[in-house]
C-alpha cells in the first residue's frame, strides 16, 4: 500500500510556537490526532478521545499542509497518538525534510521514527517501558503534592540522558507553581516547564 494514502483521524492542526518542555519557543506545526483511551480527568482536549468523531486525512495531505509554512518541526500529539501506526506519517514527513516530535503518554507501543520523544505518563494507564526507554524528555504534570513522588518513580525508569520536566496542571497553576519551584530548587535534576502558549494566548 502507498503509505502516502494512509488515513489518520485529525482533530486539529495548526502552526504555532511550541509552548512547553524542551522545545519551548520554537516554531512548530501541530497535528492533533483523534483517539485516546487513557482518560485523564483533567484533560483539556476531551473532544479528542473519540477517533471516529474526527475527519480522516491522508498522510500526503498532512505533509502538504505542513509544507505550506516555513517551519519544519512537526509535533504529533493527541489524544494518544500512539494508538495509530505512525510509521507512514513520520516517513513522509522526514522525506519532506521535517523534524518529527511526538507527545505521548507512552501507554501504547512506539511506532514511527522520531527526532524528539516527549513522554508524559498518566496515572490512568501506565506507560510501556519501551516508550520510556526512547524518551528524550519526561514531562510530569503536577496536580498535587503527591505527584512529586510519582515523578521520581518515573524518572528512575528513563535513560540518564532524558531531560526531566515538572509542569503545573493549568487549572492548578496558581496553587502548585510555588510548590513546584521549591521542589526544583531542592531537586535540580528537574526543570520547570510552563504552558507558555497559554500565557501568550496562542494555540
Amino acid at each position: 500500500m502507498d503509505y502516502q494514502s494512509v488515513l489518520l483521524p485529525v482533530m486539529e492542526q495548526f502552526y504555532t510556537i511550541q509552548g512547553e518542555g524542551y522545545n519551548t519557543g520554537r516554531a512548530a506545526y501541530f497535528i492533533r490526532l483523534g483517539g485516546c483511551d487513557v482518560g485523564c480527568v483533567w484533560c483539556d482536549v476531551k473532544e479528542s478521545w473519540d477517533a471516529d468523531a474526527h475527519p480522516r486525512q491522508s498522510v500526503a495531505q498532512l505533509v502538504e499542509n505542513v509544507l505550506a509554512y516555513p517551519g519544519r518541526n512537526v509535533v504529533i500529539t493527541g489524544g494518544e497518538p500512539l494508538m495509530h501506526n505512525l510509521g507512514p506519517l513520520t516517513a513522509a514527513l522526514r522525506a519532506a525534510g521535517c523534524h518529527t516530535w511526538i507527545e505521548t503518554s507512552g501507554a501504547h507501543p512506539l511506532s514511527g521514527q522520531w527526532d524528539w520523544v516527549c513522554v508524559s505518563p498518566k496515572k490512568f494507564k501506565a506507560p510501556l517501558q519501551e516508550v520510556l526507554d526512547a524518551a528524550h524528555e519526561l514531562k510530569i504534570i503536577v496536580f498535587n503534592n503527591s505527584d512529586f513522588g510519582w515523578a521520581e518513580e518515573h524518572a528512575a525508569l528513563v535513560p540518564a540522558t532524558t531531560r526531566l520536566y515538572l509542569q503545573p496542571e493549568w487549572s492548578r497553576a496558581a496553587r502548585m507553581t510555588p510548590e513546584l519551584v521549591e521542589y526544583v530548587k531542592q531537586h535540580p535534576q528537574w526543570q520547570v516547564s510552563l504552558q507558555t502558549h497559554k500565557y501568550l494566548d496562542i494555540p
Side-chain angles (χ1 to χ4, degrees), residues 117-139:
V117 175
C118 172
V119 179
S120 184
K122 305 300 187 290
K123 293 181 178 178
F124 312 96
K125 193 166 185 179
L128 302 178
Q129 187 60 49
E130 68 173 86
V131 186
L132 291 170
D133 289 342
H136 299 97
E137 172 182 345
L138 178 71
K139 184 172 64 187

Side-chain angles (χ1 to χ4, degrees), residues 128-198:
L128 302 178
Q129 187 60 49
E130 68 173 86
V131 186
L132 291 170
D133 289 342
H136 299 97
E137 172 182 345
L138 178 71
K139 184 172 64 187
I140 302 295
I141 308 303
V142 178
F143 189 81
N144 55 47
N145 288 76
S146 67
D147 292 329
F148 294 121
W150 194 76
E152 296 293 355
E153 291 174 18
H154 286 83
L157 300 175
V158 297
T161 53
T162 302
R163 304 292 292 263
L164 305 177
Y165 290 88
L166 296 172
Q167 179 172 296
E169 196 278 321
W170 180 250
S171 70
R172 300 266 291 170
R175 163 74 177 83
M176 292 310 303
T177 299
E179 303 268 358
L180 192 150
V181 168
E182 284 305 311
Y183 190 88
V184 170
K185 286 163 66 176
Q186 296 300 318
H187 304 84
Q189 69 272 28
W190 292 92
Q191 291 177 247
V192 175
S193 172
L194 297 175
Q195 291 181 290
T196 60
H197 54 290
K198 295 190 176 182

